[in-house]
């Protein structure tokens, strides 16, 4: 598909009314109704602004910590409040700032960067933002009522068990953060499908911007890492609320299980935070240098390698727990191995700058990049130090670790984020001030080093982390005072940056707005008004704007692909994952209120459970359900609408509707299955871990038995029957007017529910009781997860039946049935695996 | 206007096949950690297999079991890199093969690095 720069897919001038029709379908609500808009050009910047707000709020907590520790023996806050302050500082920074910020930047920039008008599920992105906004603010506000979490940002039991934390502070974390994770996962699914299926024609994987690669890997890591913390939170909440002893040693539990689950999430989490930032750097450096990134392919391999190996490091947070040294050495080895791709990227950036020679623009973004390189490399070096097990035995839980983590997080994420803010502000609005930006940079850079460098020394001198105060005479006074002064410097820099944004930034820009002031080569600089791109560009290079300097006027004139709306609705061009060959035109959602209702209901449902206000939780849960059903019922699976095909230009004619594995929604459902499957794998891992630590002859322990085999076999058969039923329903759908598929669905619902009941009865007959021992708790934990899936599956079954009865299912209009079939088959498979494990494993033990 | 025939897109699996080497690394990592944990919790630190200590032998076997498919992946990709570029002059096949080879080399290095301690350290420590 090689077209010279002067030869474009569509001829000019475009027909009259074409642009107006495009503007009409992409128009946005005005005033307060803007909250119902889902366009990434609105959601993205709001998401970024909210994340920066949480950065400031958590930063204030950091200032309180430094004020308290400026001198020994201070009592600016009482110890209980201090516990909440440092816990919330870490929790808000990690969960409400770091991950949402990188996800938000991706939502704002990616569509333009990959040559798309919009991400494939904009309502999902908006939902993700709204639960985060509402839930995050209420979670933060818990500080004002003294009910904020207070067990450290990783909340280890037994400190956080009911015996030692009887208040609702821990529950606020477990339930409050749980739905933030849902927000992150929802955003990740949208980003994966968007990057793999919505790229402009010609943007093969080898031509994808590095940032898109970074976000693809980030989102995939979220899919596989975040379920572990969801499971950990669920198990601890079950223990606290219902006395199921997952972490209580006296009844077969083990607090180490929490640590394994948490850090299996927690270590990839820090790379989840770093990789998008590295992607941003890889985009900004070439623009600042006016040169192509050196070693693009090596950087891609490095990103993917880092993403994978980061899952093999988690126990390096547990070096002092008594795990055998050989086991620890596996993680140390993986830690050394993972430094190779990180180091490679640093050298690539230096080499790209070197290639520029005198062309480097030392503007604010470049300064933040240079600051990132300096600070992150120091953090990386101390990271390799603590990766050496015997060294970590001295440094663990001291301020050395606090120094290390702040160097890598501030250096590795905050500085690139600020670079991105200054770099990309002109692409969504007005340019920020160079003068204020440079002032902010120097204050932040110096502030970071003055605050955190002395902590290496105070840590090696023995100052433990999280302490409320420290005694005189141990030589810690000067280092702490310097750190506190540095924190004030850092805060001043943050204030200057905030001033710059408030004073100078306007979405949409101002009259003096410069397009592409950095003369960058990638397509996010093409983005225009609400519809994003007038036409979808043909991509022939990794830097399309450098390859074809006429690309912007060509795209804006409508000379490239798809310069119109085919069906009179908002649409996206869906392409193949490897070569971005156009495949079909997909409907994408527009403004609405159902997802707003779903978001509000979900957030308040989880928060009501904290108190617990059970009636309120039930009401909000119902509202959330109404929101989800309304969202799907009115806004999905329309079937073919308008013309069956459209000529997008260049002789390419595409269908305007698709079904089956080629659809974006199928891919999203696969991602959902991967999330659930990972969570279930964590539950299986928990079950096996508890078996392993309980010793011979304790699985089951005295007093508990094996699940009743006949009921288990019955459950297995009923699950299989449900799978057959839904498959028959899919095969016999036809035009949707017959009764075969409806009866098959009803039979499937009955068999699914029956299978679950038989599954549960088999456990009860064991007898296997969840409160007696971890054997029972882990078995019922697996059952509870399965029950939740069956409940959703039953709901989906009735929903599909309702659509069929109301004439909304049949012929080409079958996305609903195809997608629920996927979910059902997953749930059935999950149930069968659980049955084999719970019935087979204890019976096979010697 | 003549409708242009678009070449059929490659299967989605080709996108993910590039990570094969790293998936094999993950399997090896899981296996050796599980082997060591089982040995230490179930008192097999002094057990013998083929007259040799149980843990290093099992880790060695797991390592060989993973190095074999890794070698096959490398052989396939390196052979592919030597062939002429096809598909209308697109760089894509070369990029995908190159990427698979690079990540597989990295996986081999990581597998060897994480298996090596088993030859040096005792399986379990004090308290086991």
């Amino acid at each position: 598909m090689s077209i010279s720069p002067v030869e474009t897919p569509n001829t000019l001038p475009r027909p009259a009314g074409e642009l107006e029709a495009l503007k009409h379908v992409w128009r946005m609500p005005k005033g307060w109704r803007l909250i119902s808009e889902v366009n990434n050009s609105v959601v993205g910047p709001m998401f970024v602004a909210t994340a920066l707000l949480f950065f400031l709020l958590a930063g204030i907590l950091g200032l309180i910590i430094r004020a308290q520790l400026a001198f020994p023996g201070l009592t600016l806050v009482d110890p209980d409040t201090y516990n909440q302050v440092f816990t919330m500082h870490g929790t808000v920074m990690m969960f409400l700032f770091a991950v949402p910020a990188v996800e938000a930047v991706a939502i704002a920039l990616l569509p333009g960067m990959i040559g798309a008008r919009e991400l494939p599920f904009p309502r999902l992105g908006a939902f993700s933002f709204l639960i985060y906004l509402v839930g995050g603010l209420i979670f933060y506000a818990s500080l004002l009522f003294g009910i904020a979490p207070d067990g450290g940002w990783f909340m280890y039991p037994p400190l956080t068990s009911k015996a030692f934390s009887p208040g609702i502070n821990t529950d606020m974390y477990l339930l409050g953060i749980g739905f933030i994770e849902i927000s992150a996962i929802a955003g990740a699914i949208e980003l994966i499908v968007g990057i793999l299926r919505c790229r402009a024609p010609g943007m093969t994987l080898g031509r994808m911007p590095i940032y898109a690669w970074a976000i693809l890997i980030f989102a995939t890591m979220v899919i596989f890492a975040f379920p572990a913390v969801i499971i950990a939170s669920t198990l601890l909440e079950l223990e606290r609320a219902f006395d199921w002893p997952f972490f209580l040693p006296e009844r077969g539990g083990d607090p180490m299980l929490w640590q394994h689950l948490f850090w299996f999430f927690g270590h990839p989490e820090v790379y989840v935070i770093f990789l998008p930032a590295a992607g941003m750097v890889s985009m900004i450096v070439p623009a600042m240098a006016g040169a192509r990134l050196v070693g693009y392919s090596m950087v891609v391999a490095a990103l993917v390698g880092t993403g994978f190996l980061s899952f093999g490091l988690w126990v390096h947070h547990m070096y002092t727990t008594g795990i055998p040294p050989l086991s620890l050495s596996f993680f140390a080895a993986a830690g050394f191995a993972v430094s190779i791709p990180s180091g490679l990227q640093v050298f690539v950036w230096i080499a790209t700058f070197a290639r520029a020679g005198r062309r480097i623009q030392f503007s604010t973004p470049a300064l933040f990049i240079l600051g990132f390189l300096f600070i992150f490399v120091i953090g990386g070096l101390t990271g390799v130090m603590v990766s050496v097990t015997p060294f970590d035995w001295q440094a663990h839980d001291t301020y050395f670790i606090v120094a290390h983590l702040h160097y890598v997080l501030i250096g590795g994420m905050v500085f690139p984020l600020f670079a991105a803010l200054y770099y990309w502000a002109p692409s969504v609005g007005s340019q920020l001030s160079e003068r204020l930006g440079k002032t902010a940079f120097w204050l932040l850079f110096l502030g970071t080093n003055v605050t955190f460098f002395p902590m290496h020394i105070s840590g090696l001198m023995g100052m433990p982390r999280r302490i409320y105060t420290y005694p005189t005479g141990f030589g810690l006074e000067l280092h702490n005072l310097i750190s506190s002064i540095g924190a004030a410097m850092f805060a001043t820099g943050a204030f200057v940056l905030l001033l710059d944004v408030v004073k100078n930034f306007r979405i949409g820009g101002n009259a003096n707005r410069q397009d592409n002031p950095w003369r960058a080569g990638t397509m996010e600089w093409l983005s225009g008004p609400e519809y994003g791109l007038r036409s979808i560009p043909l991509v022939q290079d990794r830097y399309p704007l450098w390859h074809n300097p006429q690309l912007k006027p060509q795209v804006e004139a409508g000379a490239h692909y798809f310069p119109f709306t085919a069906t009179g609705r908002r649409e996206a061009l869906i392409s193949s994952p490897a070569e971005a060959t156009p495949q079909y035109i997909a409907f994408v959602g527009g403004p609405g209120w159902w997802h707003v209702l779903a978001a509000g209901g979900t957030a308040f449902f989880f928060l009501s459970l904290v108190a617990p206000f059970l009636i309120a939780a039930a009401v909000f849960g119902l509202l959330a359900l109404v929101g989800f059903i309304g969202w799907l019922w009115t806004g999905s699976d329309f079937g073919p609408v308008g013309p069956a095909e459209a000529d997008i230009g260049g002789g390419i004619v595409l269908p305007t509707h698709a079904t089956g594995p080629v659809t974006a929604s199928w891919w999203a459902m696969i991602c959902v299955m991967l999330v659930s499957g990972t969570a279930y794998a964590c539950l299986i891992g928990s079950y096996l871990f508890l078996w392993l630590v309980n010793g011979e002859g304790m699985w089951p322990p005295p007093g508990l038995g094996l699940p009743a085999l006949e009921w288990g076999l019955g459950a297995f058969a009923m699950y299989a029957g449900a799978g057959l039923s839904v498959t028959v329903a899919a095969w016999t759908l036809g035009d949707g007017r017959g009764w075969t598929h409806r009866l098959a669905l009803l039979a499937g619902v009955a068999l699914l529910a029956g299978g679950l009941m038989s599954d549960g009865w088999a456990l009860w007959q064991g007898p296997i009781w969840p409160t007696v021992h971890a054997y029972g708790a882990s078995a019922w934990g697996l059952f509870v997860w399965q029950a939740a899936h069956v409940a959703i599956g039953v709901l989906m079954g009735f929903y599909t039946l309702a659509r069929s009865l109301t004439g909304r299912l049949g012929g080409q209009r079958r996305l609903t049935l195809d997608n629920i079939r996927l979910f059902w088959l997953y749930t059935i498979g999950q149930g069968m695996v659980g049955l084999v494990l719970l019935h087979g494993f204890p019976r096979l033990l010697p | 206007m003549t409708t242009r025939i678009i070449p059929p897109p490659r299967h989605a699996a080709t996108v993910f096949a590039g990570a094969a080497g790293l998936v094999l690394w993950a399997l090896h990592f899981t296996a050796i950690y599980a082997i060591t944990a089982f040995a230490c919790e179930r008192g097999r630190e002094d057990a013998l297999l083929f007259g040799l200590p149980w843990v290093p032998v099992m880790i060695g076997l797991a390592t060989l079991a993973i190095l074999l498919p890794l070698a096959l992946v490398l052989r396939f990709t390196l052979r592919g890199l030597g062939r002429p570029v096809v598909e209308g002059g697109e760089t894509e096949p070369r990029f995908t093969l190159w990427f698979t080879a690079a990540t597989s080399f990295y996986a081999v290095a990581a597998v060897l690095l994480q298996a090596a301690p088993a030859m040096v350290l005792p399986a379990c420590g004090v308290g086991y």
Side-chain angles (χ1 to χ4, degrees), chain A residues 113-484:
Chain A
M113 208 179 270
I114 59 174
R117 288 204 179 105
E118 176 60 277
L119 289 171
F121 314 115
R123 287 168 299 185
L124 190 63
F127 166 82
S128 166
F129 165 65
L130 289 169
I131 26 172
Y132 159 67
L133 172 69
V134 170
L137 287 173
I138 295 175
F139 178 76
Y140 188 86
S142 66
L143 269 169
L144 304 173
F145 301 95
I147 54 170
D150 57 1
W153 88 274
F154 29 94
M155 301 289 279
Y156 282 179
L159 174 63
T160 51
S161 64
K162 200 74 178 179
F164 299 103
S165 291
I168 64 171
N169 310 61
T170 299
D171 306 290
M172 176 60 80
Y173 177 100
L174 298 174
L175 291 160
I177 291 303
F179 69 83
I180 303 292
E181 303 313 302
I182 293 172
S183 164
I185 290 172
I189 291 176
E190 189 185 19
L191 290 167
I192 289 173
V193 180
I195 291 167
L196 288 177
R197 303 300 307 282
C198 294
R199 302 197 309 277
M203 185 180 278
T204 63
L205 286 177
R207 291 180 185 151
M208 213 160 71
I210 283 284
Y211 181 71
W213 273 107
I215 296 298
L216 178 63
I217 294 151
F218 147 86
T220 310
M221 289 171 70
V222 166
I223 297 280
F224 288 110
F226 280 38
V229 77
I230 291 177
I231 292 300
S233 303
T234 305
L235 297 186
L236 185 55
E237 192 56 44
L238 286 171
E239 179 177 292
R240 290 174 57 86
F242 303 113
D243 197 30
W244 293 16
F246 295 101
F247 310 110
L248 301 172
E250 55 272 24
R251 278 184 276 159
D254 192 335
M256 289 282 289
L257 175 60
W258 170 273
Q259 293 195 34
H260 281 295
L261 286 170
F262 184 86
W263 288 116
F264 187 80
F265 146 79
H267 194 78
E269 148 96 335
V270 306
Y271 287 91
V272 155
I273 291 166
F274 169 64
L275 289 184
M280 291 178 207
V281 173
S282 293
M283 301 295 289
I284 297 172
V285 166
M288 295 292 113
R292 303 168 79 95
L293 187 73
V294 169
Y296 169 98
S297 302
M298 283 195 292
V299 174
V300 173
L303 288 170
V304 175
T306 306
F308 267 85
L309 256 74
S310 68
F311 282 89
L313 307 185
W314 83 90
V315 167
H316 75 201
H317 298 269
M318 300 160 63
Y319 275 164
T320 59
T321 55
I323 289 174
L326 178 59
S327 296
L328 299 183
S329 69
F330 300 146
F331 295 88
F336 303 147
V338 89
S339 64
I340 298 169
S342 301
L344 186 149
Q345 289 184 80
V346 171
F347 285 115
V348 159
W349 295 319
I350 295 172
T352 307
F353 268 135
R355 209 189 224 188
R358 289 173 192 217
R359 293 197 304 272
I360 300 176
Q361 312 175 51
F362 284 105
S363 52
T364 304
L367 286 180
F368 274 110
I369 297 293
L370 293 172
F372 144 75
L373 281 171
F374 181 86
I375 297 172
F376 180 70
V377 166
I378 291 179
L381 291 174
T382 56
V384 176
M385 288 166 72
V386 295
S387 193
V388 176
T389 312
F391 180 87
D392 186 67
W393 286 343
Q394 305 304 314
H396 182 72
D397 266 353
T398 69
Y399 258 79
F400 190 92
I401 301 298
V402 176
H404 160 66
L405 75 91
H406 282 91
Y407 264 84
V408 284
L409 287 172
I410 293 178
M413 185 263 168
V414 175
F415 271 60
L417 183 70
F418 291 160
L421 192 65
Y422 277 85
Y423 178 74
W424 274 303
S427 76
V428 295
S430 29
Q431 195 162 353
L432 296 168
S433 156
E434 277 294 296
R435 188 176 59 85
L436 286 174
K438 284 173 175 157
T439 307
F441 164 74
W442 284 110
L443 285 167
L444 289 165
F445 179 76
L446 291 170
T448 301
N449 285 287
V450 172
T451 309
F452 297 106
F453 197 85
M455 291 183 187
H456 293 106
I457 303 165
S458 53
L460 288 177
M461 290 169 79
M463 183 172 173
R465 63 191 291 189
R466 302 194 176 128
I467 52 167
Y468 170 61
T469 188
Y470 51 93
T472 56
F474 282 81
L476 298 171
E477 295 89 327
L478 180 64
H479 302 96
N480 275 282
L481 181 60
I482 294 171
S483 288
S484 297

Side-chain angles (χ1 to χ4, degrees), chain A residues 422-639:
Chain A
Y422 277 85
Y423 178 74
W424 274 303
S427 76
V428 295
S430 29
Q431 195 162 353
L432 296 168
S433 156
E434 277 294 296
R435 188 176 59 85
L436 286 174
K438 284 173 175 157
T439 307
F441 164 74
W442 284 110
L443 285 167
L444 289 165
F445 179 76
L446 291 170
T448 301
N449 285 287
V450 172
T451 309
F452 297 106
F453 197 85
M455 291 183 187
H456 293 106
I457 303 165
S458 53
L460 288 177
M461 290 169 79
M463 183 172 173
R465 63 191 291 189
R466 302 194 176 128
I467 52 167
Y468 170 61
T469 188
Y470 51 93
T472 56
F474 282 81
L476 298 171
E477 295 89 327
L478 180 64
H479 302 96
N480 275 282
L481 181 60
I482 294 171
S483 288
S484 297
I485 293 168
M489 215 185 279
F490 188 95
T492 310
F495 174 75
V496 169
L497 197 146
L498 175 65
L499 184 68
D500 191 4
V501 170
V502 166
K503 194 164 166 282
N504 295 308
F505 184 72
R506 298 292 176 270
I507 293 258
N510 54 37
N512 298 325
R513 181 185 168 186
Q514 270 191 75
D515 288 339
N516 199 359
W518 318 110
R519 298 183 298 277
T522 44
M523 293 192 298
E524 70 277 20
W525 295 98
L526 287 181
S527 250
E530 45 290 271
Y531 50 78
L533 295 166
R534 168 76 164 98
S535 54
I536 309 298
L538 167 65
V539 172
Q540 298 167 291
D541 192 84
R542 288 173 185 159
Y543 297 92
L545 298 189
W546 290 346
H547 176 77
N548 178 8
Q550 295 306 306
L551 188 62
K552 189 168 165 70
Q554 286 173 356
V555 163
E556 284 175 356
H560 282 255
Y561 294 106
F562 196 33
F564 53 86
T565 167
T567 62
R569 306 174 300 174
R570 296 186 180 188
E571 293 144 348
L573 198 60
I574 305 296
S575 53
S576 66
E579 286 110 352
T581 307
Q583 292 180 301
Y584 75 98
I585 294 167
F587 159 78
V588 294
W593 293 101
W594 290 110
H595 68 278
V596 180
L597 180 64
T602 306
F604 283 105
F605 166 73
F606 280 97
L607 290 164
S608 301
L609 285 177
V610 174
F613 297 139
L614 294 177
I615 295 175
V619 168
F620 286 120
L622 196 59
L623 283 174
L625 193 59
V626 167
F628 284 120
I629 290 176
W631 173 356
L632 289 168
W633 189 270
T634 62
S636 71
D637 198 9
F638 300 100

Side-chain angles (χ1 to χ4, degrees), chain A residues 1 204-206 260 297 304 308-309 312 322 324 326-327 329-331 333 337 341 576 579 581 647 650-651 691-692 696, chain B residues 1 3-4 6 9-10 12 15 22 25 29 32-33 36 40 42 59 87 90 92 98-99 106 113-114 117-118 123 128:
Chain A
M1 226 180 351
T204 63
L205 286 177
H260 281 295
S297 302
V304 175
F308 267 85
L309 256 74
L326 178 59
S327 296
S329 69
F330 300 146
F331 295 88
S576 66
E579 286 110 352
T581 307
D647 183 344
W691 157 71
L692 192 63
E696 307 274 1
Chain B
M1 189 180 296
T3 303
R4 195 159 98 208
I6 309 166
R10 286 187 292 151
V15 175
L22 291 166
W25 163 83
F29 193 88
I32 63 177
Y33 188 43
T36 311
C40 296
R42 286 292 185 266
I59 290 176
E87 291 186 54
E90 293 293 334
E92 181 57 32
W98 184 95
F99 171 82
Y106 181 53
L113 196 59
Q114 68 205 21
Y128 287 94

Side-chain angles (χ1 to χ4, degrees), chain B residues 9-48:
Chain B
R10 286 187 292 151
H11 201 274
T14 56
V15 175
F16 305 107
L22 291 166
V23 171
L24 289 168
W25 163 83
L27 289 172
H28 178 258
F29 193 88
T30 307
I32 63 177
Y33 188 43
I35 288 165
T36 311
F38 177 77
C40 296
E41 289 290 336
R42 286 292 185 266
R44 282 183 175 260
E45 62 271 24
D46 296 325
L48 296 178

Side-chain angles (χ1 to χ4, degrees), chain B residues 26-91:
Chain B
L27 289 172
H28 178 258
F29 193 88
T30 307
I32 63 177
Y33 188 43
I35 288 165
T36 311
F38 177 77
C40 296
E41 289 290 336
R42 286 292 185 266
R44 282 183 175 260
E45 62 271 24
D46 296 325
L48 296 178
L49 186 64
F50 311 133
L52 297 167
W54 193 87
V55 170
V57 169
M58 289 295 288
I59 290 176
L61 290 173
T63 305
L64 288 171
I66 286 297
L67 286 176
L68 184 60
L70 269 172
L72 289 172
V73 168
L74 276 171
R75 184 162 178 265
F76 171 77
T77 50
L78 291 173
R79 263 197 339 193
L81 279 172
R83 284 197 288 263
V85 172
V86 292
E87 291 186 54
E90 293 293 334
T91 58

